[in-house]
Amino acid sequence: MAAADASQRIVELRQLLQTASYAYYVLDAPQMEDAVYDQLYRELQGLETQHPTLITPDSPTQRVGARPATQFVSVQHHIPLYSLENAFNEGELRAWEERWQRLRPDITSFEYVCELKIDGSALALTYENGLLVRGATRGDGTMGEEITQNVRTIRAIPLRLQGEHPPSRLEVRGEAFLPLDVFQQINQEREQAGEALFANPRNAAAGTLRQLDAQIVARRRLDFFAYTLHLPAREGGEIPDLTSQWSGLERLQSLGFRVNPHRCCCQTLQEVLDYYDRWSTERLNLPYLTDGVVAKLNSLALQAELGFTQKFPRWAIALKYPAEEAPTRVQQITIQVGRTGALTPVAEFQPVHLAGTTVARATLHNSDRIAELDLRIGDTVIVRKAGEIIPEVVRVLYELRPTAAQPETQRYHLPTHCPECGQPVVKPPGEAVTRCFNSSCPAILRGTLVHWASRDALDITGLGEKLVLQLVSQNLVSSVADLYNLTMEQLATLDRMGQRSAQKLVAAIQASKQQPWSRVLYGLGIRHVGSVNAQTLTQAFPSLQQLATAPPAAIAAVYGIGPEIAQSVSEWFCIPANQTLMQRLEAAGLKLASSAEPANLPVIQTGVTGKTFVLTGTLPTLKRDQAKALIQKAGGKVTSSVSAKTNYLVVGEDAGSKLTEAQALGIVQLSESQFLALFPEDDS
């Protein structure tokens, strides 16, 4: 067939196959027999083989990559993926409504859109000119892993948007999940092959998305529901400005996405509760798992006005269903010592099946919780999974307590000495946790090393708990700095560590020296400093020297930090042993300063402390991260959306819908020069 004829036929075949896929996966109304689809697919495949220059990324034949990926790359989300606040009963749901209504008491007419909360993994999809160009995992909401090759295998995700004139850019959010029948089939195949079974569909979906081989992902037949779209302002194409969450869902479906068919528009909170109650039983008949209901205010304008807290959108909430519960008998209580020295009691009980997994132990948190439960060895207890993830003891069935456990002398008390190092333990005044303060405690060292090597910290592949246990027990490592002196000869003597594995681990340890200053700070395990706080601190203090010498008041002035975290950080850097550690890490070549510190920025004063800024458009000279750093160093806050609490909108070229929203709310708008005038220049 001539190239011109082949080109025309290829276009026809792609349109036919895309229409058939849309009808099958989105509308659930097949228009074509499987045999016919297969015949057309093979014809397209043959023509593309004959004319490889006519192959395009959106062709149905290109869903599965030819070669496995070697690794996943971290990418920054164009728009943050916020998690949802959870409610577990009617009272918490009504309290949420009261909170947002206090911000807009004038709103008397509103609607909620309810959707089933799918138990899967969140994805962020990017389309440019109608073509899928990127798929990423949620990650921490700011950074995720780019898994486009795997996302392309999901049939419910269109490679090309439906419609003639797509927008130049579109962001779509949704949930990838494994249908229950597919999950069961996968586990049957794994059992026959002698492989470990997946615990539940959620874990199986998450693990599947992180497979390096897209062929495996394709075989596992993930599904997808879209629930949000974001369109940059002033875009052309067939998507006009949306006004509601409901119309957004309808638009997603018209673009070729599958949206959950069981959504509902509710006029009152009572209707939301009725929807929740109805699906508490009906969800058990669905072909996929759900763990709650998501309620969102329907008006997008109202969503924009309410904005976000540090963690959650104020205009949405997840009303979770009660976790599955089961009775079991406590056989013993053991103690775990964590990297901060905290002694955590753990109930060991007869194994029970909960929310798709078998559990045999649950944390008891601290001595206060044990006293509150009046828990004793031999008691029958009710166990559930908090958030369907972490097992916990809910209550004790005292009427079933055995005679031997009845006397008061059988009450359980935490040990007075650390079970790991034998040193006395202390329960500080005002705290619920009992701690070991021996910095040489093997348990603290093991926890510190595992934390240092974790994915969000230095991400040292191959350095897991079992290997850390050997390193500590054989006295090869007494601090994280010792890791950088390990040799292949030392590692090769350990169990299950041949020369090749030792070589890989040494290479991974050396590669960790390239991790940024924020990850090093998080990896140190300073109390109260999580990965997000570490990023905030290193933006405000771009070098170790700046942070280590900063007074607590200066650290506390950074938005989102506060006095407790500031005191913890300041005290940590005052300890001589920690100062020695940082000197050793610096000598080892780790990055203890930000590589992209904004240059020639004005010295920060306190003129904008406590103010909330939103940035829009392209500024003449400042990059957005430079402007953000200026604000945060001065104690201000930067948010991604305009709300009634926004103090200033910094406006650059090609400003988007945020400008319109700010004008409607009467928010002060600043040019770059006006913005910089808020920061007096350094007189030194």
Side-chain angles (χ1 to χ4, degrees):
M1 183 182 293
D5 294 335
S7 177
Q8 181 178 352
R9 181 57 178 164
I10 284 173
V11 170
E12 293 174 352
L13 289 169
R14 287 175 184 165
Q15 290 176 342
L16 286 169
L17 292 172
Q18 288 166 358
T19 300
S21 292
Y22 177 70
Y24 185 90
Y25 292 103
V26 177
L27 302 180
D28 197 21
Q31 297 178 352
M32 184 182 296
E33 296 292 334
D34 289 348
V36 176
Y37 183 96
D38 292 341
Q39 181 180 350
L40 296 176
Y41 184 91
R42 286 194 297 271
E43 182 184 352
L44 174 61
Q45 204 170 35
L47 287 173
E48 289 181 341
T49 301
Q50 296 171 20
H51 304 277
T53 58
L54 299 178
I55 298 175
T56 58
D58 61 314
S59 174
T61 64
Q62 302 302 301
R63 281 197 174 271
V64 182
R67 294 191 301 272
T70 56
Q71 63 178 343
F72 294 124
V73 178
S74 292
V75 293
Q76 184 166 3
H77 292 302
H78 303 300
I79 302 169
L81 277 77
Y82 285 86
S83 55
L84 291 176
E85 181 180 1
N86 289 330
F88 293 93
N89 53 54
E90 179 180 346
E92 292 177 353
L93 182 66
R94 293 193 181 280
W96 165 75
E97 184 180 66
E98 290 172 1
R99 285 196 298 275
W100 77 254
Q101 286 184 335
R102 282 198 295 269
L103 297 175
R104 286 301 309 272
D106 57 310
I107 298 293
T108 57
S109 178
F110 54 86
E111 295 176 326
Y112 292 114
V113 172
C114 288
E115 303 166 63
L116 296 178
K117 188 175 184 297
I118 309 302
D119 203 9
S121 292
L123 293 180
L125 311 176
T126 303
Y127 288 80
E128 293 181 356
N129 297 315
L131 294 179
L132 175 65
V133 296
R134 193 177 88 173
T137 62
R138 181 187 182 278
D140 63 4
T142 301
M143 302 289 294
E145 288 183 317
E146 194 267 314
I147 55 167
T148 308
Q149 184 167 284
N150 290 346
V151 166
R152 292 172 64 85
T153 69
I154 303 175
R155 299 281 178 172
I157 294 178
L159 301 179
R160 173 185 284 275
L161 299 176
Q162 295 276 106
E164 294 294 327
H165 303 289
S168 62
R169 189 182 188 88
L170 184 72
E171 296 283 328
V172 174
R173 304 291 160 78
E175 198 85 1
F177 62 94
L178 271 180
L180 291 174
D181 60 342
V182 176
F183 170 72
Q184 293 167 358
Q185 180 182 339
I186 291 172
N187 263 353
Q188 288 174 0
E189 293 171 353
R190 293 177 70 86
E191 185 176 20
Q192 293 170 0
E195 299 174 341
L197 303 185
F198 285 121
N200 53 55
R202 182 202 309 131
N203 291 349
T208 297
L209 287 170
R210 298 199 74 258
Q211 285 285 332
L212 293 175
D213 189 348
Q215 301 278 354
I216 297 175
V217 183
R219 288 198 296 270
R220 290 187 181 168
R221 292 181 289 157
L222 286 165
D223 210 334
F224 180 80
F225 282 128
Y227 52 69
T228 304
L229 81 167
H230 298 279
L231 181 72
R234 297 183 180 177
E235 289 283 7
E238 63 173 14
I239 303 183
D241 292 337
L242 298 174
T243 60
S244 68
Q245 174 71 19
W246 188 266
S247 61
L249 293 171
E250 292 180 329
R251 195 60 46 80
L252 280 167
Q253 187 165 341
S254 69
L255 288 170
F257 292 94
R258 189 178 180 209
V259 296
N260 196 281
H262 304 299
R263 58 193 183 276
C264 178
C265 195
C266 300
Q267 306 299 316
T268 65
L269 202 66
Q270 185 57 52
E271 290 186 22
V272 173
L273 288 166
D274 293 342
Y275 176 89
Y276 170 82
D277 290 340
R278 175 163 65 89
W279 282 102
S280 64
T281 54
E282 291 187 19
R283 69 191 180 104
L284 302 177
N285 299 319
L286 292 171
Y288 45 81
L289 286 183
T290 63
D291 58 356
V293 167
V294 176
K296 302 175 184 177
L297 281 163
N298 194 23
S299 168
L300 297 185
L302 185 53
Q303 288 185 12
E305 290 179 32
L306 294 174
F308 299 81
T309 67
Q310 272 193 287
K311 295 182 178 180
F312 313 117
R314 293 189 177 92
W315 41 266
I317 195 166
L319 183 56
K320 304 292 287 289
Y321 288 113
E324 185 180 342
E325 298 181 346
T328 185
R329 187 177 181 185
V330 176
Q331 297 171 320
Q332 62 176 329
I333 298 175
T334 57
I335 297 294
Q336 292 181 340
V337 183
R339 65 178 176 85
T340 64
L343 271 64
T344 303
V346 176
E348 311 275 354
F349 44 74
Q350 294 173 344
V352 290
H353 196 70
L354 285 177
T357 61
T358 299
V359 295
R361 57 209 315 264
T363 177
L364 294 169
H365 302 292
N366 51 55
S367 58
D368 291 347
R369 178 58 176 163
I370 294 178
E372 178 186 350
L373 290 168
D374 187 22
L375 176 65
R376 307 178 191 185
I377 296 173
D379 276 343
T380 298
V381 297
I382 298 297
V383 181
R384 74 176 177 194
K385 280 192 174 180
E388 297 192 8
I389 298 176
I390 304 172
E392 66 175 357
V393 175
V394 181
R395 61 186 181 277
V396 176
L397 302 180
Y398 302 112
E399 63 273 18
L400 299 181
R401 175 170 287 168
T403 304
Q406 292 287 351
E408 287 294 303
T409 55
Q410 296 303 307
R411 286 182 180 273
Y412 180 83
H413 299 281
L414 260 64
T416 58
H417 290 72
C418 175
E420 290 278 351
C421 67
Q423 294 296 309
V425 296
V426 177
K427 185 179 180 183
E431 292 192 21
V433 177
T434 301
R435 297 184 187 277
C436 170
F437 285 95
N438 175 22
S439 59
S440 300
C441 178
I444 295 176
L445 176 58
R446 291 196 303 268
T448 299
L449 292 169
V450 170
H451 176 71
W452 180 265
S454 64
R455 182 184 298 175
D456 291 338
L458 279 292
D459 195 15
I460 303 176
T461 303
L463 187 57
E465 292 184 15
K466 292 182 180 179
L467 185 56
V468 164
L469 180 62
Q470 292 189 70
L471 292 174
V472 174
S473 63
Q474 297 192 26
N475 297 316
L476 292 176
V477 173
S478 60
S479 81
V480 294
D482 291 335
L483 292 172
Y484 297 91
N485 296 326
L486 289 173
T487 65
M488 287 187 290
E489 291 74 20
Q490 289 175 310
L491 292 171
T493 63
L494 302 177
D495 292 343
R496 299 183 179 180
M497 277 293 290
Q499 187 166 354
R500 186 174 179 183
S501 297
Q503 186 176 12
K504 286 184 176 180
L505 181 56
V506 169
I509 292 172
Q510 295 304 310
S512 72
K513 295 178 181 180
Q514 301 305 311
Q515 295 289 4
W517 163 221
S518 61
R519 286 193 174 219
V520 175
L521 179 60
Y522 172 62
L524 294 173
I526 301 174
R527 198 172 174 201
H528 304 310
V529 178
S531 58
V532 175
N533 288 335
Q535 291 179 355
T536 301
L537 286 168
T538 54
Q539 287 174 352
F541 303 95
S543 71
L544 165 65
Q545 181 65 21
Q546 289 173 289
L547 181 59
T549 58
I555 301 174
V558 177
Y559 181 84
I561 298 302
E564 185 177 19
I565 299 174
Q567 192 65 34
S568 177
V569 171
S570 182
E571 289 177 353
W572 193 93
F573 282 110
C574 287
I575 297 173
N578 294 336
Q579 295 171 358
T580 301
L581 171 63
M582 299 312 296
Q583 292 170 1
R584 293 187 61 194
L585 292 176
E586 185 174 23
L590 277 87
K591 293 186 176 182
L592 304 181
S594 298
S595 58
E597 182 176 353
N600 302 320
L601 291 181
V603 174
I604 301 305
Q605 304 296 322
T606 59
V608 299
T609 301
K611 302 296 184 182
T612 300
F613 289 74
V614 173
L615 306 172
T616 185
T618 303
L619 299 176
T621 62
L622 284 178
K623 293 182 179 178
R624 185 163 293 200
D625 59 351
Q626 292 175 324
K628 184 176 180 180
L630 275 172
I631 296 166
Q632 290 177 332
K633 284 185 182 181
K637 174 184 177 183
V638 181
T639 61
S640 59
S641 59
V642 175
S643 73
K645 290 192 174 183
T646 303
N647 298 108
Y648 298 108
L649 179 74
V650 183
V651 183
E653 188 178 352
D654 295 328
S657 59
K658 294 175 185 176
L659 177 58
T660 305
E661 294 167 3
Q663 290 170 339
L665 293 172
I667 292 168
V668 176
Q669 298 146 42
L670 302 175
S671 64
E672 183 185 278
S673 60
Q674 292 170 323
F675 168 69
L676 289 174
L678 297 175
F679 307 93
E681 294 187 2
D682 187 7
D683 294 330
S684 62

